[in-house]
Amino acid sequence: MFEKNNIMKRILLITEHLGPGGAERQICGLALMLTNAGYPCRLITYINDQFYEPFLRQNNVDYEFLPDLVNKKTRVWRMAKYVRQYNPDVVISYLPSVNKAMCLAKLFFKAKLIVSERNNNTCITTQDKIQFNLYRLADSIVPNSNSQGKFICTNFPFLSEKVYPIINFVDVNRFTPASEYVENETLRIVTVARYTEQKNMLAYLKAIRKVKDLGLNVHFDWYGDKNDNPSYYAEVEKEYQRLDIADYLTLHETNPKIEEEYRKADVFCLPSLYEGYPNVVVEAMSCELPIICSNVYENPYIVEEGVNGFLFDPENVNDMVSAIQKIVSISKEERRMMGVQNRQLCLKRNTEEEFLKSYIKLIESL
């Protein structure tokens, strides 16, 4: 069952589930790229959310669902046992809970371990201290943003030699511009994000109410998983009704063909309180959309104020409204040129080729 390949390094990737989030998109893409590059490669998960499973099956990526790993009491031992059986050269884990468990499991297997950081720290909690100290057991740490890489090196200098930032890729062949430049009579601003506190939606609703009061000719569309955090979504719905903004904002479910929504839009907005390297921002950029987003962590590296978009303080509703006013007030041609520039930036720094090249360089160095 677990035949060893003597030429290419064998890779095992692990994350919690295959839900529609950005981390899941990246690890599934990495599994496909490594497979196509000739590496014996398998992806495993243990929570039953299979949004990306059809993508893996259609592309002949070796994928296995292991529900036995859900049990926290036995997870570390079962992970270690599975790694010993599969006998990879390198294990790549995504998300904090998986990273911590895999670092402990590393005590019981010989394969090299790469842990991937998918968000930026907003502070240092006790759990963070535990997590980053466990990273002593990993062979390499891959933050998906330069800002998180700097954070780790500054606050946990004993990990500095292990930090190897690799920014997210975007499928530039899937996320392409509309065949003809979009000119909606009502400016359409689209957001793609989970309905969670991190994405700062309650503040965004208040900003939209202010936009409505100003009479701006704008419509907002938000696409996300309404079941990801039901209690928070209930708050969103309550505030949505209270503010009476149904004529300005439509709340959608996740769309598996989200590129089609990008192509119908004029602008992309992400009002998050914090992010790692936001996949949806670079997807929208690849579709030639100008960006308005919160001025946090990696975003200022991606969006240059007034050049390819506008930044705002996510905790200041008025500042959010101001950024919306700026993007509305510039000419269609200025917005179009911002979008064209964004596509060129993606082709320069966010291609699958650059992402894979970085990972292979790291894998082969271990």
Side-chain angles (χ1 to χ4, degrees):
M1 178 181 176
F2 297 113
E3 183 181 351
K4 186 79 172 176
N5 186 293
N6 294 318
I7 301 172
M8 306 288 281
K9 287 189 175 180
R10 183 187 287 271
I11 314 296
L12 179 67
L13 302 100
I14 177 169
T15 190
E16 291 178 339
H17 56 74
L18 298 181
E24 293 76 25
R25 195 174 321 163
Q26 292 290 310
I27 198 170
C28 288
L30 177 58
L32 174 58
M33 290 177 219
L34 289 169
T35 299
N36 288 343
Y39 285 85
C41 174
R42 174 174 293 173
L43 171 60
I44 62 173
T45 66
Y46 51 87
I47 294 175
N48 189 20
D49 187 345
Q50 307 292 6
F51 182 85
Y52 279 109
E53 183 177 6
F55 167 83
L56 296 175
R57 301 300 186 196
Q58 289 163 12
N59 288 282
N60 298 313
V61 174
D62 186 358
Y63 167 66
E64 189 169 2
F65 176 57
L66 301 171
D68 287 350
L69 297 183
V70 168
N71 189 329
K72 292 181 180 179
K73 293 181 180 179
T74 60
R75 182 180 298 162
V76 170
W77 173 246
R78 288 180 183 276
M79 282 179 168
K81 182 179 179 182
Y82 189 90
V83 172
R84 291 197 303 271
Q85 287 180 318
Y86 186 67
N87 194 23
D89 297 288
V90 178
V91 177
I92 301 174
S93 67
Y94 270 45
L95 300 181
S97 63
V98 185
N99 292 344
K100 286 184 282 189
M102 195 54 73
C103 283
L104 291 171
K106 178 72 165 63
L107 295 168
F108 306 103
F109 64 77
K110 295 180 179 179
K112 301 296 184 181
L113 174 63
I114 299 171
V115 294
S116 180
E117 283 280 295
R118 312 309 301 173
N119 264 320
N120 276 305
N121 279 77
T122 56
C123 59
I124 302 177
T125 65
T126 300
Q127 283 299 312
D128 292 327
K129 291 177 182 177
I130 293 170
Q131 179 174 323
F132 286 109
N133 274 283
L134 281 174
Y135 282 1
R136 294 173 186 267
L137 299 170
D139 296 281
S140 189
I141 304 158
V142 176
N144 70 344
S145 68
N146 295 296
S147 52
Q148 180 69 353
K150 291 176 182 176
F151 171 87
I152 296 170
C153 293
T154 300
N155 294 282
F156 303 94
F158 55 85
L159 297 175
S160 295
E161 293 185 2
K162 296 182 179 184
V163 174
Y164 187 88
I166 301 176
I167 64 172
N168 291 351
F169 74 89
V170 61
D171 184 346
V172 296
N173 296 313
R174 173 188 172 191
F175 295 98
T176 56
S179 56
E180 295 183 7
Y181 180 61
V182 173
E183 293 188 67
N184 293 310
E185 289 186 14
T186 298
L187 194 77
R188 186 179 180 208
I189 299 179
V190 67
T191 298
V192 180
R194 291 172 290 118
Y195 295 94
T196 63
E197 292 180 13
Q198 176 192 348
K199 305 305 180 182
N200 198 29
M201 191 167 188
L202 293 176
Y204 193 54
L205 297 181
K206 292 181 175 67
I208 292 172
R209 177 66 235 193
K210 287 179 176 286
V211 167
K212 179 176 178 176
D213 291 341
L214 290 168
L216 299 183
N217 187 26
V218 184
H219 188 83
F220 301 84
D221 290 275
W222 186 296
Y223 292 85
D225 184 357
K226 295 180 179 179
N227 297 313
D228 185 78
N229 188 332
S231 61
Y232 184 78
Y233 183 73
E235 287 185 62
V236 167
E237 275 203 316
K238 184 178 179 181
E239 186 71 352
Y240 178 71
Q241 297 297 332
R242 186 186 73 81
L243 292 171
D244 187 26
I245 52 174
D247 52 340
Y248 265 70
L249 169 66
T250 305
L251 304 177
H252 302 271
E253 282 282 4
T254 301
N255 184 345
K257 294 185 177 180
I258 197 61
E259 64 273 20
E260 295 177 1
E261 302 306 329
Y262 290 136
R263 295 189 193 111
K264 296 174 188 174
D266 300 282
V267 177
F268 181 85
C269 179
L270 188 66
S272 306
L273 293 169
Y274 61 94
E275 285 287 344
Y277 194 96
N279 290 287
V280 291
V281 168
V282 289
E283 288 172 359
M285 289 171 66
S286 188
C287 292
E288 288 193 354
L289 290 182
I291 306 297
I292 51 175
C293 64
S294 42
N295 189 9
V296 294
Y297 303 99
E298 198 74 1
N299 287 354
Y301 292 90
I302 301 171
V303 176
E304 186 176 351
E305 178 74 15
V307 176
N308 61 330
F310 297 100
L311 298 162
F312 55 79
D313 178 353
E315 298 189 50
N316 185 325
V317 171
N318 289 331
D319 200 40
M320 203 180 294
V321 173
S322 177
I324 295 168
Q325 286 178 297
K326 288 175 185 176
I327 202 74
V328 171
S329 65
I330 64 175
S331 68
K332 292 179 180 179
E333 181 61 19
E334 287 175 295
R335 286 195 293 270
R336 189 183 75 81
M337 292 310 299
M338 282 184 172
V340 168
Q341 181 164 334
N342 280 338
R343 171 75 177 176
Q344 293 307 309
L345 285 170
C346 288
L347 292 173
K348 180 179 179 181
R349 66 191 182 194
N350 297 108
T351 62
E352 293 183 2
E353 290 77 14
E354 286 299 314
F355 181 79
L356 178 61
K357 185 168 68 175
S358 296
Y359 260 104
I360 287 178
K361 182 178 179 180
L362 174 58
I363 288 166
E364 296 299 341
S365 72
L366 296 176

